[in-house]
Amino acid sequence: LGKANWNTYTAGDNGLHIRDAWPGIDVTMTIMQGKVKTDFVIKNPLPQYRSGKLIIRDALEMNKAMTIEEQNADPSILFNINSPGGKPAYHIGPAIGFPANDVFNGRVHFPYRKKGPRELDLIVAGSYLNLSPSAYPFTIDPLLQAADTLKAYTMGTKNGGLTDPCSYTNYVDVPKAVTITGLKFYFGYEINFIQYPNLAINHVGMKVRLDKAGRGACSTPYYSCENDTAGGNIPNRCYTTEFIPIHDDLKGCYPAPQCASYPLPVVLDFFRTTGPAAACNNFSVAWNYLPFIVVIEGRTLELNYPLGESDDYQNCLGDSVHLVARPEYGVPPYTYAWTPGEQVTKGIWVSPQKNTDYAVVVTDQCGNRVDASAAITIKEPSSSVVEEMICNAQIPYTWNGIQITSSGTYTYITPNAIGCDSVVTLHLTLQPVQTDTLNLTGCQSVSYKNRVYTANTTVADTLRARSGCDTLRRTVQIDIRKSRFWVPNAFSPNGDGYNDEFGPELIGDELYGYCLKIFDRWGTPVFSSYNRSDKWNGTSRGMPVDMGTYFYHLTAKCNDNTPIEEKGSVDLIR
């Protein structure tokens, strides 16, 4: 297929994904502690290569003094990459392949062969490129591992129950002058179900502890996977995708912080409660899925803030302030050096007469130093002026214990926000109140301040300023001069001199803008009038209309421009 095409990729914090490095084959590279995990993902069948072999060639770039050495003693290691001194620095094991439809039981191994001093070939038979479509994506998973973190490849169990485990120690270097504040690990093992079908996942477990002596003390709980109780396939792998925190279980057994780096022996007790072999080996259960990796978290010398009771160092002239250094971590005992004053105690009392910057340097037993400072600001007595306006209704007015009955200037001495004396002067003004009268008239109703009045009345109104004080007391006189229409509900235009015409009768003051319109039941206009004396005689275009019900729409306006509207029906009888 030629050289890989690296042009189409996405990259993130943990690695990268190359799409179609070769046609139909993706490459994913994941960077993890102690290993580089590269997956070749065959996305779909490639039947054109079924009669040949897929060879993935790795060209390794490394120090010229490093060598690739083939191994035969351990089936889990094919090659060692040795350091210049001949010690293994990395291991390369056989690649694992697994189809999408049978990840656990469909695993196969693919061999490597040495092509040259710096080249290895991974060989995949063409038959794996021509499986059923459900087997894809088919993943080929080779693993390059750092030798010093992967002793797990030779770790195994024995049938010793929970009292006689196989114990493996991982010596983790604790940096100098560090207090351990966290400890965690992760793991992953596999069971060889093919040769040992009677073993189950829950026959295997582990504990993590410190030191080999006294296995019951300074130990974590027992960790174990469970069988599939639903009756499906029993997984042959037990692993965690995240680090397991064990700090709370083991923190009581940590050595005291030291000025020199030291190895912390973290012991893995690997148990098996059934199965073959009384001696530790990796034939039936092997720690070859994820290595036993331990991570230490620690903190060096720190100095907590603030130095005072708060981080607000504002003080009144003559006040005393207590400053205290609060170191943590590192290696005690600590020494202290304050400036100014050259004091050497953990805490000091100061009473500066002006703004002063104080600093402290804390040194632990190893010579590590941290420092902190406090800028103390001295506040002189202050003064302020308050302008305030109140309502007459608030008299008498109490301000800071002073009772006030009139406008004027008043003085009060009080502590300010940081407790220093402050002189406050109040200029007090009373809001004046005015009066007036408002006359409103209407022929039907009068609206005043969102309220409708239909009868003569007097309204007392008070207007307020933004301050909330009464500034205007108003008397509103409302005069309603009502005008309305009386409209008959029937008439008989038969010429007998009684009710021969239809029209409204006015009650009250005269109106203007008079308009009367009459419609038949189909909405056709039959009569209109703009003069109140012009009434309907029951004809339309000079011809008598039929008996029945007709509809009228009457509008007019009062002298104050208030509209009047009437709608209704009238029966015409002959």
Side-chain angles (χ1 to χ4, degrees):
L1 297 178
K3 292 185 177 181
N5 178 3
W6 305 87
N7 292 327
T8 306
Y9 67 90
T10 56
D13 290 341
N14 295 326
L16 61 117
H17 177 84
I18 303 101
R19 190 173 76 250
D20 288 321
W22 300 278
I25 303 177
D26 290 352
V27 179
T28 298
M29 291 184 175
T30 304
I31 311 302
M32 294 181 285
Q33 183 170 352
K35 59 187 175 179
V36 180
K37 188 174 186 298
T38 303
D39 288 345
F40 299 92
V41 182
I42 303 172
K43 297 187 288 187
N44 48 264
L46 301 172
Q48 63 269 36
Y49 305 114
R50 63 183 179 273
S51 61
K53 296 178 180 178
L54 171 64
I55 300 177
I56 300 172
R57 177 164 296 164
D58 284 340
L60 305 181
E61 294 185 4
M62 55 191 180
N63 188 298
K64 292 182 179 180
M66 300 182 77
T67 59
I68 302 176
E69 179 187 12
E70 190 169 357
Q71 295 293 308
N72 297 315
D74 189 339
S76 66
I77 300 176
L78 298 182
F79 296 93
N80 284 338
I81 299 179
N82 295 333
S83 64
K87 181 181 178 181
Y90 301 94
H91 295 312
I92 296 178
I96 299 173
F98 48 89
N101 58 1
D102 195 0
V103 172
F104 293 110
N105 297 317
R107 294 191 315 143
V108 294
H109 289 84
F110 297 115
Y112 272 102
R113 72 183 179 191
K114 191 174 180 181
K115 177 67 177 174
R118 296 288 187 270
E119 291 181 336
L120 296 175
D121 285 350
L122 173 63
I123 304 171
V124 180
S127 58
Y128 292 101
L129 308 178
N130 194 37
L131 302 173
S132 64
S134 63
Y136 297 93
F138 187 90
T139 301
I140 302 171
D141 181 8
L143 191 61
L144 170 69
Q145 305 186 8
D148 59 350
T149 62
L150 297 178
K151 302 182 182 70
Y153 258 98
T154 61
M155 294 165 61
T157 62
K158 65 180 178 180
N159 187 359
L162 300 181
T163 59
D164 187 18
C166 294
S167 297
Y168 303 93
T169 303
N170 192 339
Y171 289 93
V172 187
D173 287 335
V174 180
K176 61 182 180 180
V178 162
T179 300
I180 300 175
T181 57
L183 192 65
K184 56 188 178 181
F185 79 103
Y186 75 71
F187 63 92
Y189 63 83
E190 292 182 318
I191 294 179
N192 186 352
F193 282 156
I194 297 176
Q195 293 180 274
Y196 303 98
N198 294 326
L199 274 174
I201 281 290
N202 62 355
H203 292 153
V204 185
M206 71 291 300
K207 288 185 178 182
V208 178
R209 57 185 172 85
L210 295 183
D211 200 7
K212 291 185 177 180
R215 289 194 176 103
C218 301
S219 177
T220 67
Y222 178 80
Y223 296 102
S224 175
C225 293
E226 296 294 333
N227 277 327
D228 184 356
T229 57
N233 291 328
I234 298 175
N236 69 330
R237 290 178 178 173
C238 178
Y239 60 92
T240 177
T241 58
E242 297 179 353
F243 278 94
I244 297 177
I246 54 177
H247 172 70
D248 289 341
D249 297 317
L250 305 182
K251 62 184 178 181
C253 300
Y254 295 151
Q258 303 175 28
C259 292
S261 176
Y262 65 92
L264 180 70
V266 182
V267 183
L268 175 74
D269 288 335
F270 204 3
F271 301 94
R272 177 155 51 86
T273 60
T274 189
C280 296
N281 62 63
N282 64 348
F283 298 149
S284 59
V285 178
W287 201 275
N288 62 357
Y289 185 66
L290 288 178
F292 173 44
I293 292 182
V294 179
V295 174
I296 282 181
E297 297 172 349
R299 300 172 77 167
T300 54
L301 180 62
E302 297 179 9
L303 189 56
N304 291 332
Y305 283 88
L307 295 180
E309 294 181 358
S310 71
D311 56 2
D312 182 8
Y313 299 111
Q314 299 186 67
N315 297 275
C316 304
L317 184 64
D319 285 353
S320 294
V321 181
H322 191 209
L323 301 179
V324 181
R326 300 176 178 87
E328 283 189 309
Y329 309 115
V331 181
Y334 311 109
T335 60
Y336 307 90
W338 291 87
T339 55
E342 316 306 324
Q343 299 187 62
V344 293
T345 56
K346 180 176 182 178
I348 61 174
W349 286 92
V350 297
S351 183
Q353 301 300 303
K354 61 180 181 179
N355 297 346
T356 305
D357 292 338
Y358 291 88
V360 63
V361 176
V362 179
T363 306
D364 71 357
Q365 187 178 359
C366 307
N368 296 314
R369 296 157 55 108
V370 288
D371 60 80
S373 61
I376 297 180
T377 303
I378 301 302
K379 293 295 184 181
E380 300 287 345
S382 59
S383 62
S384 60
V385 177
V386 178
E387 302 284 347
E388 191 168 346
M389 179 177 289
I390 65 172
C391 310
N392 277 273
Q394 294 176 264
I395 294 296
Y397 178 71
T398 301
W399 177 72
N400 291 321
I402 303 172
Q403 193 170 61
I404 301 172
T405 59
S406 62
S407 299
T409 299
Y410 303 88
T411 301
Y412 176 71
I413 299 176
T414 182
N416 59 18
I418 62 170
C420 303
D421 287 344
S422 177
V423 178
V424 183
T425 301
L426 171 67
H427 296 304
L428 185 67
T429 305
L430 299 182
Q431 177 72 52
V433 180
Q434 298 177 347
T435 61
D436 72 354
T437 300
L438 177 64
N439 296 315
L440 299 176
T441 61
C443 67
Q444 294 292 317
S445 62
V446 169
S447 177
Y448 179 70
K449 286 193 173 181
N450 298 322
R451 182 175 177 181
V452 177
Y453 297 89
T454 59
N456 296 344
T457 187
T458 300
V459 178
D461 189 18
T462 300
L463 304 183
R464 288 181 171 83
R466 291 183 179 178
S467 63
C469 298
D470 295 348
T471 58
L472 177 62
R473 291 174 182 162
R474 171 174 290 168
T475 300
V476 182
Q477 297 289 348
I478 297 176
D479 184 15
I480 304 298
R481 302 172 183 176
K482 288 192 174 182
S483 295
R484 62 185 180 85
F485 288 106
W486 176 84
V487 183
N489 57 11
F491 77 110
S492 56
N494 53 13
D496 62 357
Y498 297 100
N499 294 324
D500 288 332
E501 293 181 326
F502 170 77
E505 300 294 333
L506 177 64
I507 300 174
D509 290 348
E510 189 59 55
L511 305 173
Y512 73 96
Y514 174 86
C515 178
L516 173 65
K517 293 184 178 181
I518 299 175
F519 306 87
D520 62 17
R521 60 180 177 173
W522 295 281
T524 303
V526 297
F527 178 78
S528 61
S529 170
Y530 299 94
N531 189 326
R532 194 164 53 80
S533 62
D534 184 10
K535 299 184 179 182
W536 185 37
N537 61 4
T539 64
S540 177
R541 298 182 181 180
M543 300 296 294
V545 300
D546 295 335
M547 290 179 57
T549 300
Y550 292 82
F551 302 90
Y552 65 85
H553 182 202
L554 174 63
T555 58
K557 289 185 178 181
C558 300
N559 289 331
D560 63 356
N561 211 32
T562 301
I564 297 177
E565 183 180 22
E566 293 281 350
K567 293 181 180 179
S569 62
V570 61
D571 293 330
L572 188 151
I573 304 171
R574 293 191 184 277

